[in-house]
Each structure stands twice: as structure tokens, then as C-alpha cells.
């Protein structure tokens, strides 16, 4: 290795989280190397539906809800900056989400959400069952009969996950970041109580800081240095459909599935939730579950053709909140994972905050409550950590 290969920061993992961090670090002038064992967006980020949806499942406001609202607000300016920087449209759109109620009890829950979100000044409207067909033509026929109304959230958005990853990487590379694909990190190099870089199968890449953003595989590397990261997969399967001229106007969401219309006519049908499953291949049972759920709410999708199906592993902590912060016990190691169902939504805010903290020590702001130390008692990190 020459000193020219030395980086200020090495990032492990080329998903949306790693690439967002790389982007903001290079904006701040850092020398960055990102190592990805397969290809960029090979993990959950390549499969995500890309919804930017803090409101649709929020039963009340808490610090995580506030974080997600801020996360959503990052996307419009970022999409514009990336278009300007590298000429790639990441398909950020504020298409809104129509969350339908299938039963009276769902209607009661959604109307409760509607009331507190409206009182808070957020865009939230109630659509009566009889008006649903006008609001979303694909629901004509079932609206008054099967559905008990819907919550319309006009400010929810979407972006195309893999394209966001690609644009971030291109913009970071333009500012000098090095992206090394097909290269796994096999260990974290350390000198005493400090990280000194990472080990690949062929070399050590030295750096002052290492960011562990390897999604559901982050614990594998954590274990190498005695960190017991409480992150496990929640597998999600997804189908890509084409509606032959009959695509939904907006995202339609029911309890069991969602339909996300893309600008090019694709309609994404997602997603399953399968705890603890490390097998990232789609299954017949997964496809069946999604198909049944979609046909129940939107029978018209029965005529849609299937373009493909995929699965991804969402990295999740036991409390389902992100794990973002300096690792206890080993100076210079930063953990950024466990974004679970919100990695695309929260990627840019995470990237900006992590970069600011690494470069300027400015703290993590609204991400501060989501540090790894909240699981401190479950760390198994050897003497240097228990000494702290
Ligand atoms: C079906 C589905 C739908 C989803 N929909 C949404 C949505 O609508 N909105 C939303 O916000 N989020 C959504 N998510 C969640 C989102 O996809 C994840 O939270 C996010 O992609 C996690 O990003 P990440 O960068 O942490 O992990 P990943 O994207 O999994 O990236 C980790 C990367 O690290 C690499 N890696 C692993 N080990 C090593 C190593 N040792 N060395 C080098 N590289 C390594 C992997 O190859 C991988 O590319 C969805 C997820 C799924 C599965």
C-alpha cells in the first residue's frame, strides 16, 4: 500500500447508508475509500421500494417520528443536487400515500392517526369510502363495498433506491472517493485501542476512521473485534408488476401490502416481513402472500403482468431503531446500520450527520438517541470496552 491509498475514512458496505456517508464526507473534503464485497446496492438497498413514508405507520409522535420527518425533508434538495452534479434523476417524487382501511377497527385507528397528524399541521386527509373510487380509479368497484375509507397523506414521497445509491457514488467519486467493488473486508485492523484501517483478502487499507455500514452483515465484522452488534435480518420480498395502462395514481397501502407506481409504469408490490431469515432468495410462499394481499384490496391488479421478484434482508435491531454512533471501546470505529424499514428514508440524514460528526465532532443531533450504547449491557467487547 502506498500513502496515496491511505484514506481518512474507510466505509464498509456499498448500500444506501454507506454511499450516503461517502457522499457527505467527500462534500466535506475527506479522502474516502468504500469497500463493497459484491457490487453497489447488492443488499437491501437494491430491493427497497424506496418509499419516504414517516407518517403512514406512525401511531403517535416520538423522537423516531421526528427523525423520520427530518429524514424525508432531506430528499428533495439531495435529488436536485445529484441531478445537477451527475445528471442522474433518482426519481424523487412526492406521490403521496393512500392508506386504506379494510375493517372498522382499522378505520378507527387510521382516523386517530388522521386527527393527531392534522392537529400537528401535517398533510393528512380522511377520504370516505364512497369517495375512494374518484380519488383512486383502481379502487372503483371495491371502494364502497370492501373498504371503510382511507387516510390520504399527500406529503409522503418515493425515490428509486438503487439509482439513489448509484448517483451518490458517482457524485462522491467525482470528489475523489474510491469505490472498490468485489472486495470484502475480512477484519478491522487495530493498534491497541484504536482502529487503524481494514483488512481485505489481499491488503490492509489504513485509515483514521472505519465506518461499519454492512447492513445485516455488520455483526460478522463486529464479532471479529469483540463487539456484539444486536442486528438481525427481517427479510422482505417484493414483486415488480406492469399494469398495461392501468397503474395506480398514487401509492396504495393496506396493512399487508403496498403498491408503488413508478414514473416508467412499473408498479412495485411489497413486502413480506420474515424475522431472522438470512436467505435472500424470493420464495413461492412470499410471492403468494403478496399476491393474495394485493388482490383482496385491489382486484384490478389481477391483470397486471409480473416483471420480476426479489428479496432483501433489512438490518434490524431488537427495538427496530437505527444503530448509529461511535462503537464503545474501540476509538475510530463508527457503526451505521439497523435502519430496518427506513434505510432509504433515513440514509441521507444519517449520511450528513455521520459525516459532520466524523469531520467536525459536531455530534449526531436528532440521531443521538439512536447510538449503540443503548444496548451497552449486551456488548461483549472485551476488556477495553468493559473498562470504559
Ligand atoms: C423489500 C424491502 C422493501 C423496503 N422498502 C423500503 C422503503 O420503502 N423505504 C425505506 O426507507 N426503506 C425500505 N427498505 C429498507 C431499506 O432497504 C434498508 O433499510 C436499507 O437498504 C439498508 O441499507 P444499508 O446500506 O444499511 O444495508 P444494505 O443495503 O444491505 O448494504 C450493505 C452492503 O454491505 C455489503 N457488505 C456486507 N458485508 C461486507 C463486507 N464484509 N465487506 C464489504 N461489503 C460488505 C453488502 O454486500 C451490501 O451491499 C426496504 C427493504 C426491503 C428488503
Amino acid at each position: 500500500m502506498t500513502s496515496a491509498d491511505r484514506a481518512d475514512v474507510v466505509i464498509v458496505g456499498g448500500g444506501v447508508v454507506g454511499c450516503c456517508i461517502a457522499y457527505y464526507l467527500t462534500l466535506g473534503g475527506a479522502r474516502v475509500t468504500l469497500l463493497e464485497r459484491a457490487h453497489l446496492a447488492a443488499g437491501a438497498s437494491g430491493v427497497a421500494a424506496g418509499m419516504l413514508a414517516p407518517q403512514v405507520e406512525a401511531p403517535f409522535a416520538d423522537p423516531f417520528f421526528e427523525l423520520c420527518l427530518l429524514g424525508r425533508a432531506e430528499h428533495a434538495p439531495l435529488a436536485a443536487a445529484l441531478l445537477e452534479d451527475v445528471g442522474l434523476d433518482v426519481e424523487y417524487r412526492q406521490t403521496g400515500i393512500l392508506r386504506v382501511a379494510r375493517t372498522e377497527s382499522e378505520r378507527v385507528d387510521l382516523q386517530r392517526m388522521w386527527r393527531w397528524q392534522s392537529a400537528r399541521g401535517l398533510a393528512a386527509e380522511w377520504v370516505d369510502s364512497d369517495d375512494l373510487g374518484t380519488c383512486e380509479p383502481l379502487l372503483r368497484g371495491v371502494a364502497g363495498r370492501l373498504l371503510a375509507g382511507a387516510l390520504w397523506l399527500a406529503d409522503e414521497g418515493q425515490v428509486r433506491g438503487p439509482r439513489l445509491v448509484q448517483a451518490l457514488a458517482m457524485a462522491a467519486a467525482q470528489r475523489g472517493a474510491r469505490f472498490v467493488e468485489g472486495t470484502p473486508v475480512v477484519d478491522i485492523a487495530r493498534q491497541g485501542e484504536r482502529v487503524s484501517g481494514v483488512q481485505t483478502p489481499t491488503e490492509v487499507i489504513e485509515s483514521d476512521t472505519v465506518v461499519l455500514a454492512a447492513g445485516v452483515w455488520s455483526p460478522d465484522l463486529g464479532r471479529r473485534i469483540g463487539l456484539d452488534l444486536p442486528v438481525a435480518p427481517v427479510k422482505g420480498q417484493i414483486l415488480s408488476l406492469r399494469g398495461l395502462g392501468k397503474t395506480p395514481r398514487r401509492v396504495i397501502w393496506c396493512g399487508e401490502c403496498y403498491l408503488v407506481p413508478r414514473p416508467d409504469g412499473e408498479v412495485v408490490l411489497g413486502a413480506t416481513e420474515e424475522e431472522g431469515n438470512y436467505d435472500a432468495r424470493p420464495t413461492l410462499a412470499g410471492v403468494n402472500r403478496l399476491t393474495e394481499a394485493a388482490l383482496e384490496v385491489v382486484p384490478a391488479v389481477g391483470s397486471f403482468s409480473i416483471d420480476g421478484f426479489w428479496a432483501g434482508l433489512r438490518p434490524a435491531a431488537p427495538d427496530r431503531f437505527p444503530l448509529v454512533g461511535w462503537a464503545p471501546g474501540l476509538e475510530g470505529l463508527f457503526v451505521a446500520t439497523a435502519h430496518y424499514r427506513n434505510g432509504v428514508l433515513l440514509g441521507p440524514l444519517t449520511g450528513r450527520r455521520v459525516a459532520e460528526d466524523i469531520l467536525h465532532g459536531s455530534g449526531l443531533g436528532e440521531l443521538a438517541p439512536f447510538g449503540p450504547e443503548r444496548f451497552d449491557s449486551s456488548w461483549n467487547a472485551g476488556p477495553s470496552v468493559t473498562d470504559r
Side-chain angles (χ1 to χ4, degrees), residues 12-18 35-39 41-52 183-186 213-217 221 234-238 258 271 311-315 336-346:
V12 188
V16 69
V17 173
L35 292 147
E36 164 55 50
R37 68 173 178 188
H39 56 84
S45 308
V47 175
M51 283 177 292
L52 310 172
T183 304
V185 169
V186 294
V216 76
W217 301 277
L221 280 172
V234 179
K235 176 175 173 177
Q237 306 195 39
I238 209 157
Y258 49 74
L313 305 180
R314 306 174 183 95
T337 185
H339 289 75
Y340 181 42
R341 300 178 67 180
N342 296 294
V344 180
L345 171 67
L346 292 175

Side-chain angles (χ1 to χ4, degrees), residues 137-162:
L138 225 58
L139 294 175
R140 257 180 219 142
V142 281
R145 197 161 49 84
L146 287 177
L147 302 175
L151 180 59
W152 168 235
L153 303 167
D155 284 351
E156 304 279 61
Q158 59 167 293
V159 69
R160 203 183 277 256

Side-chain angles (χ1 to χ4, degrees), residues 2-58:
T2 65
S3 62
D5 292 331
R6 192 191 154 80
D8 298 324
V9 184
V10 164
I11 299 168
V12 188
V16 69
V17 173
C19 288
C20 281
I21 295 170
Y23 172 77
Y24 286 102
L25 279 170
T26 56
L27 277 184
R31 279 187 307 169
V32 174
T33 296
L34 183 147
L35 292 147
E36 164 55 50
R37 68 173 178 188
H39 56 84
L40 296 181
S45 308
V47 175
M51 283 177 292
L52 310 172
Q55 289 178 248
V56 74
E57 287 188 298

